[in-house]
Amino acid sequence: MAKAILYDSVQCVGCRACEDGCAKRWNIPYNDTIAKEEEISAHKLTAVVTHGERYSRRLCMHCADPTCVSVCPVAALQKTALGAVIYDEDRCMGCRYCMLACPYQVPSYEWSSRLPRVKKCDMCYELQRSGKSTACSETCPTGATVTGDRDALIAEARKRIAEKPGDYHPRIYGINEVGGTSVLILSGVPFEQLGMKTNLPLEPLPPLTWAVQSHVPDVVLLGSVLLGGISWITHRRDEVAAAEGHAPKPRKDASK
Amino acid sequence: MTRILRLTFWQWVFLALMAAATYATFIRVVYGLGGATNLSDKFPWGIWIGFDVLCGVGFAAGGFTLAATVHIFNLKRFEPIVRPAILTAFLGYVLVVMALLFDLGRPYRIWHPLVMWNPHSVMFEVGWCVTLYTTVLALEFLPVVLERFGLVRPLKWMRISLIPLVIAGVILSTLLQSSLGGLYLIVPRKLHPLWYSPLLPVLFFVSAICAGLAMTIFESWHSSKAFGRSLEISLLARLARVLAVLLLFYLVMRFLDVAQRGALKLVLEPRVESYLFGLEISLMLLPMLLLFRQHVRRNPWALYACSVMVVFGFMTHRLNVSITGMEAGSGTQYIPKWTEVAVTLGIVALGFAIFRFAAKYLPIFEKEGAGEAAVGQAVSPACCPAQGD
C-alpha cells in the first residue's frame, strides 16, 4: 500500500519539532542557527517556513511519477512501492540533473564536500519498511504532520475541509500536481500565499522526455539504412564509371 | 636562455591562462564544487555545462557533417577540409570529457552510466553517445597518425571499415546533438518560454550543424594564416552557402516555434532575457543575410567575420538555454566564479594549442599545401615510411 504524508498547515504551530526529529533520524546536527534557516539544504532535509501567522513545510514531495527518477542516468533514484523516492549514493556520480529537473527544487547537494552526495527526504523509508512511522510525524506534537496510506489520508483531508470549510482552502495540494505526489498539503489560504508552486503541470513530467527518447532506436535503424543506401548509390556511380572505362562525370558544378 | 623567454604574445596568453586554470583546478580538487563554483541547490548547472559541454559538443559538429559529406554523399571536393574538421571534433570531445571531470561531483564515477542503466534518462543517452562517438572519432582520426608514421597495413583495414564507421558517427552525433537540447525538455516551468520548446532537440541539432560549419571555416582561415597556406576559398565559399541556407532554415523554424507558442510578445518586455534573445537572433540573422551574397562569400575577411558571428550566435543560444533562461524560473541568480571562468578559458586555450600542434606535426592539411615551403617540413608524404622525424 502506498504511503503518504499529510501536512496540515492549519494545525501547524511552527514549533519545528519535525525539523529536529528529521535531523536526529539522519544524524545531522541541529541547533538554533540551523533552525532559523527557512530553506531545505543538504544539512536540513525539511524546513518550516513562516508566512506571517501561518506556516508551510518544505520536504521532498515523493511524486507518483518522479522527474528525478526519470532523469537520473545511473538509476540512483528509485520510486518504491511504499511511495518513498529513495537515493542510492553508491551509484551517484554527481551530475546534478535531478536537481535541475525537480519541479519542486528539492534535491540538495553537499557543495563543500570533496565527495559530495545528493541529499533529500526519503520519507524514512527504512523506518516505514519495518512498519514504523516517519520521524517528522512521530515528533509533531499537534498532528499537523501524519503518515499513513495515501488513500486514507486523502479521505481524511477531504473530511477536514468538509467539517471546517471556513478554516480550509478547499483544495488538497498534491493530488494532481505533476501527476500526484505522496505528500499532501492542506492550507487555510490559497497555496501561493504559502510560497508553493501553483503553476505546475497537472501531468507528470517524464513523458515530455520519453516522447523523444523512445524514438532513439528508430533514429538508429532508419539512419543506418538511409545513410548506407545513400553511400551505396553515390559510390556505385564511381564504380560504374570506372567499369565503363571513363572517369566519373563531374557533378554539376554550381560554384558561384 | 633569452631565446626561450622570447615568446609571442599568444604564447604568453596561453601560459597565463594555463597558470590560472591550474590554480583553479587546485581549488576545485581541494575545496570541492562549493569552493570552486557559484553553483547552488537552485542553480546546479553553470558554465561548465552551459559552455564547455553544450557549446563544445556543438563546435565539434563539423566533424560528422563533413565526414558525411565526403564519405557518404561522396562529394570528393570537400576532402581537403575533412581532416581538420575531424581533428576539431575529436579535440572537442576530449575537452568536453575533461570539462565533465571538473563538473561531476564524483568524477571517478564517470563510467557509471555505462553499467548502471536508465534508458529513460537523456543524460544516460548523452553519456553513451559521448563515449561511443569519441571512440569513433579516435578511429576516424587514426589514419592520420598511421599515415604520419608510414604504417600502411593497418591503413588498408581502416579504409574498409571507413563507411560503417562514418555512418555510426553520423547517427551518434545526431543523437547527441539533439539530446543536449532534450536535456531541457524536462524543465517546462523553469526555462523561459523564449527558449523552452518541444522542438529543442531539433533546434539544437540544426544549430549545431551551423556552428560546426562556421567552426570549419574559422579554423581553415586561422590555419591558413598560421601555416602560410593558401585559403581554400572556393571550397569555403560553397560551405558558406550551405551555412546560409541552414541558418535560414533554423531561423524560420525558430520564429515559427516561438510564434506558435505565443511567446513572441515576450520579446518586447524590457527584460534581460529579451535583450539576449535579440542578440542571439541578430548574431544568426546578420551572417545569414551576408552569406547569401556572393561577394561576401568570396571575401576571406567577410567570410571570417560571418563565421565568427555564427559561432557567437550559437554560443549565445546555448548559454541562454542553460543559464539566462533558467535564472528567473529557478528564482535565483548565477554569475560564474573566477575559477569557473579560468577552467573554461584554460580548456579553450588547450584546444587551440593542441590543434596547432597536431596541424604542425600531422598530415592534416597535406592535400592542399603540400607544395608550399611553409608546410613542407610539417608534412610527411603518406607513402614514405617513418623516419624518426
Side-chain angles (χ1 to χ4, degrees):
Chain A
M1 194 64 182
K3 300 284 183 179
I5 291 176
L6 172 64
Y7 168 71
D8 186 340
S9 162
V10 175
Q11 295 188 17
C12 180
V13 293
C15 69
R16 298 179 192 274
C18 52
E19 292 183 359
D20 191 32
C22 179
K24 285 208 177 78
R25 133 88 176 79
W26 282 92
N27 274 325
I28 304 174
Y30 185 76
N31 52 40
D32 288 351
T33 323
I34 294 171
K36 286 201 182 73
E37 299 172 10
E38 296 209 332
E39 240 180 327
I40 49 174
S41 66
H43 61 264
K44 188 168 187 179
L45 306 189
T46 186
V48 173
V49 187
T50 318
H51 303 272
E53 297 281 284
R54 299 178 188 277
Y55 304 96
S56 68
R57 239 192 102 189
R58 290 263 288 143
L59 71 163
C60 173
M61 299 294 285
H62 300 278
C63 307
D65 187 354
T67 312
C68 57
V69 171
S70 89
V71 300
C72 179
V74 292
L77 290 150
Q78 293 293 339
K79 175 80 177 174
T80 61
L82 271 176
V85 176
I86 57 168
Y87 167 72
D88 179 356
E89 63 176 70
D90 292 329
R91 284 174 167 257
C92 178
M93 59 174 183
C95 73
R96 311 186 297 282
Y97 193 19
C98 52
M99 303 171 63
L100 184 94
C102 175
Y104 295 104
Q105 300 183 291
V106 162
S108 305
Y109 208 54
E110 295 178 321
W111 293 103
S112 49
S113 166
R114 272 186 228 173
L115 292 175
R117 293 167 297 181
V118 168
K119 286 288 199 140
K120 70 169 203 68
C121 154
D122 70 350
M123 221 170 149
C124 293
Y125 178 64
E126 289 302 329
L127 285 177
Q128 288 220 56
R129 219 160 54 145
S130 56
K132 300 197 183 84
S133 189
T134 58
C136 54
S137 50
E138 285 296 291
T139 46
C140 180
T142 65
T145 296
V146 287
T147 303
D149 292 337
R150 188 170 187 264
D151 295 339
L153 287 180
I154 291 174
E156 166 67 20
R158 290 210 170 107
K159 205 179 88 192
R160 288 188 199 175
I161 294 173
E163 279 174 0
K164 291 181 179 170
D167 289 358
Y168 285 96
H169 178 63
R171 269 193 60 229
I172 307 170
Y173 192 95
I175 289 196
N176 293 319
E177 277 71 16
V178 289
T181 60
S182 295
V183 171
L184 306 163
I185 297 173
L186 284 177
S187 164
V189 289
F191 293 107
E192 54 268 22
Q193 291 181 28
L194 293 183
M196 294 170 60
K197 293 179 194 292
T198 47
N199 67 341
L200 294 176
L202 298 183
E203 273 80 51
L205 300 179
L208 289 174
T209 307
W210 188 241
V212 177
Q213 196 74 357
S214 56
H215 290 297
V216 169
D218 306 345
V219 173
V220 174
L221 214 68
L222 264 171
S224 327
V225 173
L226 197 71
L227 294 168
I230 292 172
S231 158
W232 185 80
I233 291 169
T234 55
H235 287 88
R236 181 78 186 148
R237 269 188 214 155
D238 291 357
E239 282 172 29
V240 169
E244 289 175 355
H246 56 77
K249 202 165 36 169
R251 238 149 279 135
K252 190 177 57 128
D253 201 329
S255 131
K256 279 186 182 173
Chain B
M1 195 62 199
T2 47
R3 267 184 70 95
I4 296 169
L5 288 174
R6 208 181 297 141
L7 299 171
T8 64
F9 171 71
W10 287 111
Q11 280 164 329
W12 279 114
V13 171
F14 175 73
L15 284 182
L17 287 176
M18 279 300 131
T22 309
Y23 185 47
T25 307
F26 170 77
I27 292 178
R28 164 70 185 89
V29 172
V30 176
Y31 298 100
L33 283 165
T37 69
N38 274 343
L39 298 174
S40 60
D41 286 342
K42 285 184 175 172
F43 211 84
W45 285 5
I47 56 167
W48 286 347
I49 295 291
F51 182 83
D52 301 31
V53 175
L54 295 190
C55 295
V57 168
F59 293 150
F64 87 90
T65 311
L66 278 157
T69 309
V70 170
H71 297 301
I72 292 175
F73 292 93
N74 204 13
L75 298 171
K76 290 255 163 55
R77 58 170 168 257
F78 288 104
E79 199 145 18
I81 46 176
V82 175
R83 282 186 170 182
I86 287 180
L87 173 63
T88 312
F90 181 53
L91 275 181
Y93 276 83
V94 170
L95 296 175
V96 162
V97 173
M98 211 169 124
L100 276 175
L101 293 176
F102 277 91
D103 188 74
L104 288 180
R106 297 192 177 211
Y108 61 94
R109 288 179 175 172
I110 194 167
W111 52 275
H112 273 197
L114 302 182
V115 285
M116 305 171 182
W117 288 29
N118 177 16
H120 282 261
S121 166
V122 185
M123 190 60 91
F124 169 77
E125 187 190 341
V126 170
W128 267 94
C129 286
V130 169
T131 311
L132 291 177
Y133 188 51
T134 309
T135 313
V136 165
L137 279 169
L139 290 173
E140 282 180 3
F141 189 66
L142 192 59
V144 180
V145 181
L146 294 176
E147 212 175 292
R148 170 68 179 81
F149 295 105
L151 300 165
V152 183
R153 195 186 293 254
L155 267 176
K156 272 188 201 152
W157 304 334
M158 298 295 311
R159 223 160 273 147
I160 296 168
S161 56
L162 182 65
I163 298 288
L165 203 59
V166 171
I167 292 178
V170 173
I171 291 169
L172 288 168
S173 294
T174 309
L175 291 176
L176 178 57
Q177 298 291 357
S178 52
S179 62
L180 289 183
L183 285 175
Y184 290 87
L185 287 174
I186 203 81
V187 286
R189 290 297 186 272
K190 282 190 194 169
L191 185 53
H192 192 279
L194 283 173
W195 292 285
Y196 183 84
S197 155
L199 281 183
L200 269 171
V202 185
L203 291 168
F204 265 55
F205 177 66
V206 179
S207 58
I209 297 179
C210 294
L213 291 178
M215 274 305 274
T216 308
I217 296 171
F218 177 83
E219 84 215 354
S220 290
W221 193 92
H222 269 286
S223 49
S224 86
K225 287 268 177 270
F227 302 116
R229 291 179 317 113
S230 61
L231 196 63
E232 306 95 336
I233 190 76
S234 66
L235 215 51
L236 296 185
R238 271 177 221 265
L239 223 51
R241 200 174 48 176
V242 176
L243 175 57
V245 174
L246 278 172
L247 282 172
L248 176 66
F249 177 66
Y250 170 78
L251 286 168
V252 168
M253 187 160 58
R254 187 98 166 77
F255 174 78
L256 290 177
D257 172 58
V258 172
Q260 194 265 331
R261 286 182 295 107
L264 214 50
K265 57 181 184 295
L266 295 175
V267 180
L268 298 173
E269 286 180 10
R271 293 171 57 93
V272 70
E273 285 93 346
S274 323
Y275 304 139
L276 283 164
F277 176 82
L279 178 71
E280 169 198 325
I281 297 298
S282 319
L283 282 172
M284 299 284 227
L285 190 64
L286 187 61
M288 181 204 87
L289 294 173
L290 289 170
L291 287 176
F292 268 118
R293 306 174 75 89
Q294 191 190 330
H295 65 268
V296 172
R297 294 199 300 270
R298 287 267 156 203
N299 177 334
W301 279 97
L303 192 59
Y304 178 73
C306 287
S307 74
V308 170
M309 271 192 274
V310 175
V311 166
F312 274 89
F314 165 84
M315 269 162 42
T316 316
H317 175 247
R318 293 303 193 260
L319 290 173
N320 277 342
V321 170
S322 58
I323 314 270
T324 327
M326 291 291 287
E327 282 181 311
S330 304
T332 186
Q333 295 235 306
Y334 163 80
I335 292 161
K337 211 175 202 158
W338 76 265
T339 32
E340 290 177 78
V341 179
V343 166
T344 298
L345 289 178
I347 287 176
V348 173
L350 204 60
F352 272 93
I354 301 177
F355 185 91
R356 200 188 151 89
F357 182 82
K360 204 170 171 188
Y361 293 106
L362 292 173
I364 308 287
F365 290 106
E366 104 263 53
K367 291 213 168 77
E368 270 290 302
E372 286 172 44
V375 273
Q377 57 176 19
V379 172
S380 91
C383 54
C384 299
Q387 290 158 346
D389 195 341

